[in-house]
């Protein structure tokens, strides 16, 4: 499975990417919303894990844009965020996410959610 992981925290991006690779996935990384959107535009991903609080374009906007593009609309997007109020999670789903993981999270949980989608 080819996964795009967009997270601005370098250490977290590295740790989660390593765990996904160990689970047999190919992982591309992005540190900003703009770079995530540009990478995702290829449509070559099986799943996208997207932080909401990204520099530049936020993850909700990236999610909305990808959901409106014929090349990317069928790629499942899992949002991760420290924003964990119910209305924030609902906003994530309203923007097209298929799942929402609250920080802090366990890497095993993320891998399980990727497998589920």
């Amino acid at each position: 499975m080819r996964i795009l992981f967009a997270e601005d925290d370098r250490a977290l991006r590295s740790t989660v990417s390593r765990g996904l690779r160990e689970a047999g996935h190919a992982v591309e990384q992005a540190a900003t919303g703009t770079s995530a959107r540009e990478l995702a535009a290829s449509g070559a991903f099986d799943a996208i894990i997207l932080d909401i609080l990204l520099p530049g374009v936020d993850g909700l906007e990236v999610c909305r844009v990808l959901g409106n593009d014929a090349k990317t609309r069928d790629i499942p997007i899992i949002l991760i965020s420290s924003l964990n109020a119910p209305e924030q999670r609902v906003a994530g789903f309203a923007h097209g996410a298929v799942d929402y993981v609250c920080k802090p999270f366990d890497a095993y949980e993320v891998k399980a959610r990727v497998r589920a989608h």
Side-chain angles (χ1 to χ4, degrees):
M1 179 177 268
R2 188 162 182 237
I3 299 169
L4 171 59
F5 180 45
E7 166 62 54
D8 59 323
D9 181 301
R10 178 183 289 175
L12 180 59
R13 191 173 62 241
S14 176
T15 300
V16 172
S17 293
R18 184 174 41 256
L20 290 167
R21 286 185 183 108
E22 288 170 358
H25 304 293
V27 181
E28 295 271 342
Q29 299 178 21
T32 69
T34 303
S35 60
R37 186 178 59 204
E38 290 169 357
L39 281 169
S42 70
F45 294 95
D46 299 302
I48 298 171
I49 303 170
L50 186 62
D51 185 16
I52 291 178
L53 299 176
L54 291 169
V57 180
D58 74 29
L60 290 177
E61 179 63 12
V62 173
C63 192
R64 186 193 64 75
V65 167
L66 297 178
N68 288 326
D69 184 328
K71 285 173 39 178
T72 56
R73 76 174 57 145
D74 293 328
I75 302 171
I77 298 175
I78 300 170
L79 293 175
I80 60 169
S81 184
S82 58
L83 305 173
N84 59 15
E87 60 271 10
Q88 293 159 329
R89 293 190 306 266
V90 169
F93 293 118
H95 279 79
V98 299
D99 208 340
Y100 194 108
V101 179
C102 295
K103 294 178 182 177
F105 55 82
D106 183 272
Y108 293 107
E109 177 184 6
V110 173
K111 289 189 272 189
R113 288 176 187 254
V114 166
R115 275 193 311 272
H117 296 287

